[in-house]
């Protein structure tokens, strides 16, 4: 499975450039998860990408037997605007926790899912959860040899508690439409909740 991660890292580097930092987190009973940090000095955007979640396919917890090859594979991407006084690098551990959730909790992470870390994503962040968005924009899917599924790189969109509650009622698509309509800067590390009542 190390070969898969080698290919994943190569795809991340080709799309985002050279990482300027990386950290590894290991949870009891799980494989190591790394988080790579990419800084786009031109735009001031910091991107964090997990590496390790795709080593094994995600398995439906209701399945009687886990297939070692077939099943969805993914890595997580978070883009944040660099802002003085905001230590977004502390998001490394929460991201690793989310990336380990398929191994630890049998969660299958897919577009439209809410993922809650139960604490601010970084010190002082107004977000405790994220919305997994559709892949393919920033980093293209990585095709693997059959019968393995491709690795999908899922962008994570931070949600305030109010947004997360609203999404549970109205759905992911409705929340994304609202963000778009109000011109919400989803990369702003200290943004306020979008207006949820018309």
């Amino acid at each position: 499975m190390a070969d898969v991660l080698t290919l994943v890292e190569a795809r991340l580097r080709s799309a985002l450039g050279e990482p300027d930092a990386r950290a590894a987190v290991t949870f009891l009973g799980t494989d190591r998860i790394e988080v790579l940090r990419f800084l786009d000095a031109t735009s001031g955007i910091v991107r964090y990408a997990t590496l390790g979640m795709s080593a094994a396919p995600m398995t439906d917890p209701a399945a009687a037997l886990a297939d070692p090859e077939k099943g969805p594979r993914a890595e997580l991407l978070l883009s944040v605007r660099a802002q003085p006084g905001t230590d977004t690098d502390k998001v490394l551990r929460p991201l690793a926790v989310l990336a380990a959730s398929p191994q630890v909790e049998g969660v299958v992470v897919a577009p439209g899912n809410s993922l809650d870390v139960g604490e601010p994503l970084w010190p002082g962040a107004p977000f405790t959860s994220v919305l997994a968005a559709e892949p393919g924009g920033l980093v293209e899917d990585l095709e693997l040899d059959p019968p393995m599924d491709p690795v999908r790189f899922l962008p994570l969109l931070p949600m305030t508690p109010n947004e997360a509650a609203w999404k549970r009622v109205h759905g992911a698509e409705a929340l994304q439409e609202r963000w778009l309509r109000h011109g919400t800067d989803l990369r702003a590390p200290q943004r306020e909740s979008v207006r949820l009542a018309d």
Side-chain angles (χ1 to χ4, degrees), residues 171-194:
E173 192 175 327
L175 178 59
Q176 289 178 289
E177 284 173 3
R178 189 164 285 268
W179 280 335
L180 193 61
R181 192 162 76 244
H182 290 279
T184 306
D185 181 2
L186 296 172
R187 294 169 175 169
Q190 296 294 336
R191 72 172 178 85
E192 296 180 353
S193 181
V194 70

Side-chain angles (χ1 to χ4, degrees), residues 137-168:
L138 194 60
V139 183
E140 290 183 10
D141 292 356
L142 173 65
E143 298 293 333
L144 300 175
D145 292 336
M148 293 189 286
D149 287 24
V151 177
R152 306 172 84 197
F153 298 88
L154 303 177
L156 300 181
L157 309 176
M159 294 187 292
T160 66
N162 284 346
E163 290 169 340
W166 195 89
K167 181 257 176 190
R168 280 194 293 275

Side-chain angles (χ1 to χ4, degrees), residues 1-9 30-34 50-59 67-76 99-100 102-103 142 144 148-153:
M1 287 306 163
D3 288 347
V4 170
L5 297 186
T6 301
L7 294 171
V8 167
E9 183 167 354
T30 67
D31 295 327
R32 186 171 82 156
I33 301 287
E34 286 191 272
T50 64
L51 179 63
M53 181 177 172
S54 61
M58 295 181 277
T59 306
D67 190 307
E69 292 194 327
K70 289 183 183 175
R73 295 174 190 257
E75 296 291 355
L76 307 176
Q103 290 183 61
L142 173 65
L144 300 175
M148 293 189 286
D149 287 24
V151 177
R152 306 172 84 197
F153 298 88

Side-chain angles (χ1 to χ4, degrees), residues 84-160:
T86 302
D87 189 5
T88 56
D89 283 350
K90 291 290 198 305
V91 79
L92 297 178
R93 186 169 179 82
L95 270 184
V97 168
L98 295 178
S101 61
Q103 290 183 61
V104 176
E105 300 169 29
V107 174
V108 177
V109 179
N113 287 170
S114 299
L115 306 172
D116 196 322
V117 296
E119 61 183 17
L121 292 179
W122 52 83
F127 320 106
T128 58
S129 62
V130 293
L131 174 66
E134 289 291 335
L138 194 60
V139 183
E140 290 183 10
D141 292 356
L142 173 65
E143 298 293 333
L144 300 175
D145 292 336
M148 293 189 286
D149 287 24
V151 177
R152 306 172 84 197
F153 298 88
L154 303 177
L156 300 181
L157 309 176
M159 294 187 292
T160 66

